[in-house]
Amino acid sequence: MVKDRIDTVRENIKAACIRAGRDPKEVTLVAVSKTKPIELIQEAYREGIRDFGENKVQEIVEKHGAMADDIRWHMIGHLQRNKVKQVIGKAVLIHSVDSVRLAEQIEEEAAKQNILVNILLEVNVAKEESKYGFLLEETEEAILKIKKFPHIKIRGFMTIAPFVENSEENRNVFQKLFQFYVDMKSKNIDNVSMDMLSMGMSGDYEVAIEEGATIVRVGTSIFGAR
């Protein structure tokens, strides 16, 4: 079952890339395995999935210890400052840096372990009150503060688009963030590489790819509804 779903998602990614004139190799599929048991994750692993996304630090810690070493764990959920210490060194990428204070905490812990932490800044493009993240107009100022932290590398942005019935309704959200991403990339800011754009989930990942996503976070379409 998981195999069939992964095959379908990969075909959809390929088709979206073809429509957009992109190479499918440009898009990383992150299988969102939050709340899912090890057995299901192992099924996806057998199908060649190596990038898995988790919402909770506790799940990353437990699964990191139980699964193969070549898995790349992504922290995609809201990260509390008091949990940073546990996730540093286990997640290859923290998608959800939503405040300068959180970045300061990551810098502090990364300095203690003498490692470089790759992050994405979470941007609340649609200005939803229920979502975390910087507003678009605040993001450049945050970049200019966080870029000074020697143990953090800003790799790009992440957004969680509104939940909609028709994925076309989110196209504008993805377009706005892609344009901002291109603008920031063109500024060649020190310690900012701007090579990752994490947007699109099960309901809208094809539209996100058409609008420039380099990472899609797909859970339900791979593992089924919770």
Side-chain angles (χ1 to χ4, degrees), residues 38 42 63 72 79 139 160 216-217:
I38 294 292
Q42 284 170 334
K63 291 171 181 175
R72 295 178 290 271
L79 179 57
T139 308
I160 300 171
V216 291
R217 312 178 304 275

Side-chain angles (χ1 to χ4, degrees), residues 136 139-140 143 157 176-184:
L136 258 179
T139 308
E140 186 171 1
I143 290 170
F157 304 122
K176 279 183 183 173
L177 189 58
F178 180 74
Q179 189 53 59
F180 182 69
Y181 167 79
V182 170
D183 291 347
M184 290 300 103

Side-chain angles (χ1 to χ4, degrees), residues 1 25 30 39 43 48 70 99 111 145 176 189-190 211:
M1 197 65 170
K25 293 191 184 75
V30 173
E39 304 81 61
E43 272 190 65
D70 63 339
S99 69
K145 289 176 181 173
K176 279 183 183 173
I189 302 168
D190 286 346
E211 298 303 336

Side-chain angles (χ1 to χ4, degrees), residues 6 9 23-24 36 73 103 107 117 126-127 133 136 162 164 168 180 198 211 213:
I6 289 171
V9 170
D23 183 343
K36 300 302 177 190
W73 296 100
E107 168 62 28
V117 178
K127 300 186 176 180
L136 258 179
V164 291
E168 281 298 325
F180 182 69
S198 172
E211 298 303 336

Side-chain angles (χ1 to χ4, degrees), residues 21-185:
R22 300 180 63 194
D23 183 343
K25 293 191 184 75
E26 292 174 19
V27 179
T28 299
L29 170 59
V30 173
V32 177
S33 48
K34 62 181 183 182
T35 74
K36 300 302 177 190
I38 294 292
E39 304 81 61
L40 271 185
I41 299 172
Q42 284 170 334
E43 272 190 65
Y45 180 87
R46 285 195 290 273
E47 295 309 313
I49 300 285
R50 292 295 177 270
D51 292 271
F52 291 89
E54 290 290 340
N55 263 34
K56 293 188 165 59
V57 170
Q58 191 56 38
E59 283 201 69
I60 285 188
V61 171
E62 288 169 7
K63 291 171 181 175
H64 182 274
M67 293 289 294
D69 290 342
D70 63 339
I71 285 180
R72 295 178 290 271
W73 296 100
H74 295 247
M75 179 62 197
I76 62 173
H78 176 61
L79 179 57
Q80 294 169 295
R81 297 202 308 282
N82 63 353
K83 299 279 179 69
V84 166
K85 185 177 182 178
Q86 295 168 260
V87 83
I88 293 287
K90 293 184 178 69
V92 296
L93 184 65
I94 299 174
H95 293 230
S96 48
V97 176
D98 56 14
S99 69
V100 174
R101 288 180 72 195
L102 175 58
E104 285 170 349
Q105 190 68 43
I106 292 170
E107 168 62 28
E108 190 179 311
E109 294 297 340
K112 287 177 191 170
Q113 298 185 37
N114 195 28
I115 58 175
L116 182 69
V117 178
N118 289 305
I119 69 163
L120 304 179
L121 299 189
E122 181 171 354
V123 185
N124 185 353
V125 180
K127 300 186 176 180
E128 289 185 279
E129 288 184 12
S130 59
K131 301 260 174 76
Y132 294 99
F134 298 98
L135 299 180
L136 258 179
E137 55 268 29
E138 302 171 336
T139 308
E140 186 171 1
E141 183 185 350
I143 290 170
L144 296 176
K145 289 176 181 173
I146 296 168
K147 79 181 183 75
K148 297 172 184 171
F149 300 156
H151 296 88
I152 288 179
K153 180 82 168 178
I154 300 174
R155 301 293 299 271
F157 304 122
M158 178 269 253
T159 195
I160 300 171
F163 180 77
V164 291
E165 291 295 326
N166 179 2
S167 59
E168 281 298 325
E169 292 175 37
N170 281 333
R171 192 175 291 276
N172 185 45
V173 170
F174 299 140
Q175 286 172 341
K176 279 183 183 173
L177 189 58
F178 180 74
Q179 189 53 59
F180 182 69
Y181 167 79
V182 170
D183 291 347
M184 290 300 103
K185 188 184 284 196

